[in-house]
Amino acid sequence: MAVSEGLAIGALARRTGLAVSAIRYYEAQGLISPWRNAGGQRRYQRADIRRLSFVMIAQQFGLTLPEIREVLSGLPGNRTPTPHDWKTISEVLRTRLDQRIDTLMRLRDNLDGCIGCGCLSLPKCKLYNPDDRAKSLGSGPRYLMGDTPEG
Amino acid sequence: MAVSEGLAIGALARRTGLAVSAIRYYEAQGLISPWRNAGGQRRYQRADIRRLSFVMIAQQFGLTLPEIREVLSGLPGNRTPTPHDWKTISEVLRTRLDQRIDTLMRLRDNLDGCIGCGCLSLPKCKLYNPDDRAKSLGSGPRYLMGDTPEG
DNA sequence: CCTTGACCTAAAGTTAGGTTCAGAAATTAC
DNA sequence: GTAATTTCTGAACCTAACTTTAGGTCAAGG
C-alpha cells in the first residue's frame, strides 16, 4: 500500500470511461507513457486521467490522434501539468474550433445563396471546392452541380 | 450518335471530378442508379451530375453516405429533379448545418468557461459527454478531466 | 496453495469511404 | 480491321481509430 504505486490500467479506464484497449492504443500512438511495475504491468499517474480527458475533448473538436499528440507535446514533461498548462494548450483547441465554426458558417451562407436563387449551379453557386476539408474529397478541382468551368 | 445515349462513367467522372471507382462505389451504396447499354456498360443521365454534386456537398456537411441516400430519397424517382426539388432537399442540409454550428458554438462556450476558470475539472466544466458526436466516442457515460460523478 | 480476475502481447477483425489490381470484354480512333 | 481506350467484375488493399481474440502471466483473496 505504498504511496504513489500509481493507477492500474483498469482503474484508469474506469476513471476516464475509456476502454482498456483504447488506452493501450493511445500509448502505441504516443499519447500517454505509463511506467511498468515489477511484473510488467502499466502504472499511471493521477495526472494521466486529465491527460486522457483532454484527448477525448480534443477528439470531439475534430483533431486526429497525431494532432493531439502534437498539442500535448506542449505540456511539461518533467512535472505534473498545472491548470495554467492546461489552459495554454486548450487555447490551441479554441483556435481550431473558431476556424471550424467559421468554415461551416461560410458554407451555410453559400448554401443559403444557392437555395435563394434556386439554381444550384456553378460557378455562380460557391459551393464548390470549399477550403474546409477539400482533402477529404481527394485532390484536384471539383465542378459541382452540373456545370463545367467553361460553362 | 443518337440523342440520350447517356453519359459513360468516365464522362460523368470528368464532369464531377469524382473518381470512376467512387461513382461505382456510390452505386453500390444505393446513391445513384445508372442503366446499362447493350454492352453492359453504365450510362447516366445529365441530372446525375447534379445528383453526385449534391452528394459531395452533403459530405462536406458531415453526412454519411447512408444519410445522404436517405436525403436523396426525397427526390422524385419518376422524373428529372427540378430546381425546386433540389431546393427542398437542400433545406434538409441547412437544418443539419445549423445544428452542427450550434453544437460547436456551445462546445466553444464550454471551453471558454473552462479556460476562464482554469480548473478544467468536472462537473463544473461542462465539456463532458456533449451531444455532438457522443457516439464517436463509443457508448456509455464519460467522466472527463479527472472527476468521477460521485466526486 | 489455489482460484479468480486483471493484465500482458501480437495479430487479426471492424467500419467508412474509397482505391487498386487482374483479366476480360466493349468502344473508339485511325 | 487493328490498336488503343474504356469499361466490366470481384477481390484485395488502404487509413483511422479502435475492438476482439488467443494464449499466457500477474496479483489478490481465502
Side-chain angles (χ1 to χ4, degrees):
Chain A
M1 264 202 188
V3 182
S4 27
E5 271 182 357
L7 291 158
I9 195 168
L12 183 58
R14 278 187 298 279
R15 297 299 295 274
T16 59
L18 286 167
V20 166
S21 60
I23 297 175
R24 282 197 281 247
Y25 178 74
Y26 291 159
E27 180 180 346
Q29 303 309 304
L31 298 180
I32 192 166
S33 302
W35 70 93
R36 301 297 181 116
N37 72 359
Q41 297 192 355
R42 293 170 179 83
R43 292 298 177 239
Y44 300 86
Q45 304 171 36
R46 289 183 57 79
D48 286 335
I49 299 172
R50 198 158 275 206
R51 190 178 181 91
L52 289 185
S53 298
F54 182 85
V55 170
M56 291 154 80
I57 292 173
Q59 278 190 302
Q60 294 188 15
F61 289 9
L63 278 77
T64 63
L65 296 187
E67 287 169 337
I68 295 170
R69 180 178 51 195
E70 183 65 24
V71 175
L72 283 174
S73 72
L75 286 177
N78 49 342
R79 60 176 168 74
T80 298
T82 64
H84 179 74
D85 292 325
W86 288 113
K87 176 173 170 174
T88 301
I89 72 168
S90 289
E91 279 162 0
V92 175
L93 291 194
R94 164 72 203 229
T95 302
R96 290 284 204 140
L97 195 50
D98 284 345
Q99 287 167 355
R100 283 169 63 80
I101 289 174
D102 199 58
T103 299
L104 287 181
M105 297 211 309
R106 273 187 291 107
L107 208 51
R108 181 171 63 185
D109 289 346
N110 290 152
L111 182 62
D112 283 349
C114 287
I115 290 178
C117 73
C119 65
L120 285 168
S121 78
L122 283 185
K124 206 181 310 179
C125 164
K126 294 180 200 156
L127 280 176
Y128 70 102
N129 211 16
D131 48 16
D132 179 21
R133 280 284 185 166
K135 63 182 178 183
S136 77
L137 292 177
S139 55
R142 301 301 174 113
Y143 312 117
L144 302 189
M145 294 327 268
D147 293 291
T148 46
E150 63 273 35
Chain B
M1 262 207 186
V3 182
S4 28
E5 270 182 358
L7 292 157
I9 195 167
L12 183 58
R14 280 188 296 278
R15 297 298 295 273
T16 58
L18 285 168
V20 165
S21 60
I23 297 175
R24 283 197 281 246
Y25 179 73
Y26 291 160
E27 179 180 347
Q29 302 310 304
L31 298 180
I32 192 166
S33 303
W35 70 92
R36 302 297 182 117
N37 72 0
Q41 297 193 353
R42 292 171 178 81
R43 292 297 178 242
Y44 299 86
Q45 305 171 35
R46 289 182 58 78
D48 287 335
I49 299 172
R50 197 158 274 208
R51 191 178 180 91
L52 289 184
S53 298
F54 182 85
V55 170
M56 291 153 80
I57 291 173
Q59 277 189 304
Q60 293 188 16
F61 288 10
L63 279 76
T64 63
L65 296 187
E67 287 169 338
I68 295 171
R69 181 178 50 195
E70 183 64 23
V71 174
L72 282 174
S73 71
L75 285 178
N78 49 342
R79 59 177 169 72
T80 299
T82 63
H84 180 74
D85 292 325
W86 287 112
K87 176 174 170 174
T88 301
I89 72 167
S90 290
E91 279 162 0
V92 175
L93 290 194
R94 164 73 202 227
T95 302
R96 291 284 205 142
L97 195 49
D98 283 345
Q99 286 166 356
R100 283 171 63 80
I101 290 174
D102 200 56
T103 299
L104 288 181
M105 298 213 303
R106 273 187 293 106
L107 207 53
R108 181 171 62 184
D109 289 345
N110 291 152
L111 182 63
D112 283 349
C114 287
I115 291 178
C117 73
C119 66
L120 284 168
S121 78
L122 284 185
K124 206 182 310 179
C125 164
K126 295 180 201 157
L127 278 176
Y128 70 103
N129 211 15
D131 48 15
D132 180 21
R133 281 284 183 167
K135 62 180 178 184
S136 76
L137 291 177
S139 55
R142 302 300 174 111
Y143 312 116
L144 302 189
M145 296 325 269
D147 292 291
T148 48
E150 62 273 37

